[in-house]
């Protein structure tokens, strides 16, 4: 590896570690182009950079090269991203072959995959049960995580382009996320003009993914560790996220407190209150989990606080990403990029027998 290639690789690593994946990918490609030999870590990080940018076709190219270079001997977490990139690139047979080879000795996993595959094949052959409409309030920025609040809908958005460019989130080069509220027409589902929600508590960074207590008095949401003006980094130099709970008063949020299980050494986010209001489901990469991010559940006390989270276990959680839980009386819905699906993050449903006991998650199918 020449000095030029080494310099590119070093710069790329800096960009990668700072979550500047677009810049990292460009520099890794330059490093490879000028290298005498291909470095395995560079290939993996190049694939990861494109995967994190949701550019699955380019991610597949580099994961595929890494897979052949290592003769199939790659980490499970890397294989999952490779498989998802293959599916998102419509290379379904290749994805299935990779899975069967990797889990050849894991009979429980193969059985779950077989159940999920049969279900998905069946619903792909039938008419979709759902009709999805693009709402007029959507923008070309991120708009997601809707939550009902009386006659209103709260959601998360990066639509505030009035902020200075140096206040953008470097991962996707969009403004940081804020909470928005829109009046909801119960007859046709149309939404009024969105307004920022909880303006009195907004920070300069992410405020996202709201979920309300059953009585509507409390709202749980995700935010960065910060002092409102500056991000706080943990001992590893990473700015993590936490779940906070606030009292709802009209369009204001007061008495905001961090939940007891938060820790700046890892992230907790995407809170979802169960239909009966007794449990809080959320996502975390805390130590002891199964993958990149797992779903946990914690009991909610009468004062709205929650503690002692429990991992939902290997039926739900995998070596990849499980995210965005939503719990009804009997079903847990969530997103995953590791259960058998169509590629990238898919929506799954799992029948609940208790807050911590579930049946094999099934893909909700194409829209």
């Amino acid at each position: 590896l020449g000095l030029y290639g080494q310099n590119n690789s070093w710069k790329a690593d800096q960009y990668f570690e700072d979550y500047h994946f677009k810049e990292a990918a460009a520099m890794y490609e330059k490093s490879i182009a000028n290298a005498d030999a291909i470095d395995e870590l560079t290939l993996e990080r190049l694939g990861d950079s494109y995967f994190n940018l949701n550019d699955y076709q380019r991610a597949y190219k580099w994961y595929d090269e890494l897979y052949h270079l290592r003769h199939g001997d790659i980490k499970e977490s890397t294989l999952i991203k490779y498989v998802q990139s293959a599916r998102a690139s419509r290379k379904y047979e290749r994805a299935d072959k990779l899975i069967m080879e990797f889990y050849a000795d894991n009979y429980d996993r193969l059985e779950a995959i077989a159940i999920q595959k049969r279900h998905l094949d069946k619903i792909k052959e039938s008419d979709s049960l759902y009709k999805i409409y693009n709402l007029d309030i959507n923008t070309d920025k991120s708009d997601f995580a809707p939550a009902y609040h009386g006659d209103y809908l709260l959601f998360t958005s990066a639509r505030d382009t009035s902020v200075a460019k140096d206040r953008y989130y470097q991962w996707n080069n969009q403004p940081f996320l804020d909470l928005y509220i829109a009046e909801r027409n119960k007859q046709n589902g149309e939404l009024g003009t969105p307004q920022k929600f909880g303006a009195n508590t907004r920070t300069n960074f992410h405020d996202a993914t709201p979920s309300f207590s059953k009585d509507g008095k409390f709202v749980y949401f995700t935010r960065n560790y910060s002092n409102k003006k500056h991000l706080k980094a943990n001992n590893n130099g990473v700015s993590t996220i936490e779940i906070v709970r606030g009292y709802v008063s009209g369009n204001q949020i007061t008495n905001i407190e961090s939940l007891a299980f938060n820790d700046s050494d890892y992230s907790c986010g995407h809170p979802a209150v169960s239909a009966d209001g007794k449990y809080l489901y959320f996502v975390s990469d805390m130590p002891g989990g199964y993958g990149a991010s797992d779903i946990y559940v914690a009991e909610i006390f009468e004062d709205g606080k929650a503690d002692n989270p429990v991992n939902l276990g290997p039926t739900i959680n995998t070596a990849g990403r499980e995210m965005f839980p939503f719990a009804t009386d009997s079903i847990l819905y969530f997103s995953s990029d590791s259960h058998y699906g169509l590629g990238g993050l898919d929506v799954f449903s799992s029948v609940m027998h208790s807050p911590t006991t579930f049946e094999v998650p099934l893909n909700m199918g194409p829209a």
Side-chain angles (χ1 to χ4, degrees):
L1 182 66
L3 181 62
Y4 184 77
Q6 286 182 329
N7 193 38
N8 277 329
S9 183
W10 178 82
K11 288 181 180 177
D13 288 339
Q14 290 296 112
Y15 281 129
F16 186 89
E17 289 163 9
D18 290 338
Y19 305 103
H20 296 193
F21 296 115
K22 185 177 180 180
E23 293 85 353
M27 295 303 295
Y28 281 131
E29 292 221 30
K30 285 184 179 180
S31 176
I32 288 174
N34 289 281
D36 297 325
I38 297 178
D39 178 71
E40 293 176 3
L41 180 60
T42 298
L43 285 176
E44 183 176 353
R45 286 193 161 190
L46 182 51
D48 288 347
S49 295
Y50 282 124
F51 187 87
N52 289 326
L53 293 168
N54 300 322
D55 190 340
Y56 296 117
Q57 290 186 333
R58 284 192 174 95
Y60 174 80
K61 172 186 175 181
W62 297 110
Y63 288 141
D64 191 55
E65 192 159 335
L66 175 67
Y67 186 83
H68 287 99
L69 183 65
R70 291 193 54 82
H71 305 289
D73 182 21
I74 61 175
K75 297 179 295 186
E76 184 178 14
S77 58
T78 302
L79 176 100
I80 286 169
K81 289 179 281 191
Y82 179 25
V83 168
Q84 294 307 316
S85 299
R87 287 200 180 115
S89 303
R90 300 182 181 274
K91 300 180 185 297
Y92 300 116
E93 291 184 5
R94 175 63 175 161
D96 287 350
K97 183 180 179 182
L98 289 168
I99 288 175
M100 296 306 172
E101 289 177 353
F102 192 87
Y103 294 112
D105 298 326
N106 188 337
Y107 300 111
D108 289 341
R109 185 67 195 273
L110 286 178
E111 183 180 5
I113 290 170
I115 293 171
Q116 292 174 328
K117 186 178 187 304
R118 284 196 300 269
H119 170 80
L120 186 55
D121 288 344
K122 183 178 179 181
I123 62 175
K124 281 196 295 187
E125 294 172 359
S126 60
D127 293 333
S128 176
L129 298 175
Y130 317 98
K131 289 186 178 180
I132 296 178
Y133 303 92
N134 192 6
L135 297 176
D136 291 338
I137 66 163
N138 287 320
T139 66
D140 61 353
K141 301 294 188 293
S142 299
D143 302 293
F144 64 104
Y148 289 126
H149 181 47
D151 293 335
Y152 295 86
L153 186 79
L154 254 75
F155 63 96
T156 300
S157 180
R159 64 184 58 209
D160 187 3
T161 56
S162 64
V163 297
K165 285 284 186 179
D166 62 358
R167 305 300 303 168
Y168 275 33
Y169 182 39
Q170 293 297 327
W171 187 311
N172 59 10
N173 200 32
Q174 292 188 16
F176 281 90
L177 300 167
D178 278 322
L179 302 179
Y180 286 79
I181 188 169
E183 190 168 8
R184 179 168 58 97
N185 185 320
K186 290 184 177 180
Q187 301 301 317
N188 57 21
E190 291 184 0
L191 300 175
T193 303
Q195 305 291 330
K196 284 190 176 181
F197 182 79
N200 62 310
T201 62
R202 249 184 13 254
T203 67
N204 287 335
F205 307 103
H206 290 318
D207 296 286
T209 59
S211 183
F212 291 88
S213 60
K214 188 175 181 180
D215 58 13
K217 291 182 180 179
F218 296 104
V219 63
Y220 302 85
F221 63 100
T222 307
R223 64 169 28 168
N224 286 103
Y225 283 95
S226 72
N227 61 5
K228 288 199 173 183
K229 290 186 177 181
H230 300 284
L231 286 172
K232 292 182 179 179
N234 61 22
N235 292 332
N236 296 319
V238 177
S239 176
T240 51
I241 57 176
E242 62 176 335
I243 299 173
V244 297
R245 184 216 59 174
Y247 182 78
V248 180
S249 178
N251 198 23
Q252 305 288 303
I253 306 174
T254 62
N255 301 325
I256 293 178
E257 294 180 343
S258 176
L259 297 186
F261 52 71
N262 287 310
D263 191 308
S264 62
D265 284 343
Y266 50 80
S267 287
C268 294
H270 310 319
V273 179
S274 62
D276 61 10
K278 296 180 180 179
Y279 297 93
L280 183 73
Y281 292 89
F282 67 96
V283 174
S284 179
D285 61 354
M286 68 175 67
Y290 292 86
S293 58
D294 284 10
I295 300 176
Y296 291 77
V297 64
E299 187 175 359
I300 297 175
F301 306 129
E302 289 187 8
D303 60 2
K305 296 181 180 180
D307 201 358
N308 301 322
V310 175
N311 189 294
L312 295 194
T315 301
I316 297 296
N317 292 316
T318 68
R321 296 180 296 174
E322 276 67 52
M323 303 177 73
F324 304 116
F326 178 83
T328 68
D329 288 326
S330 60
I331 297 176
L332 176 72
Y333 297 92
F334 64 97
S335 295
S336 174
D337 66 0
S338 303
H339 287 289
Y340 191 89
L342 299 168
L345 283 170
D346 280 4
V347 180
F348 290 81
S349 65
S350 176
V351 175
M352 290 193 292
H353 295 291
S354 78
T356 57
T357 310
F358 304 87
E359 293 185 9
V360 172
L362 300 176
N363 196 291
M364 298 294 289

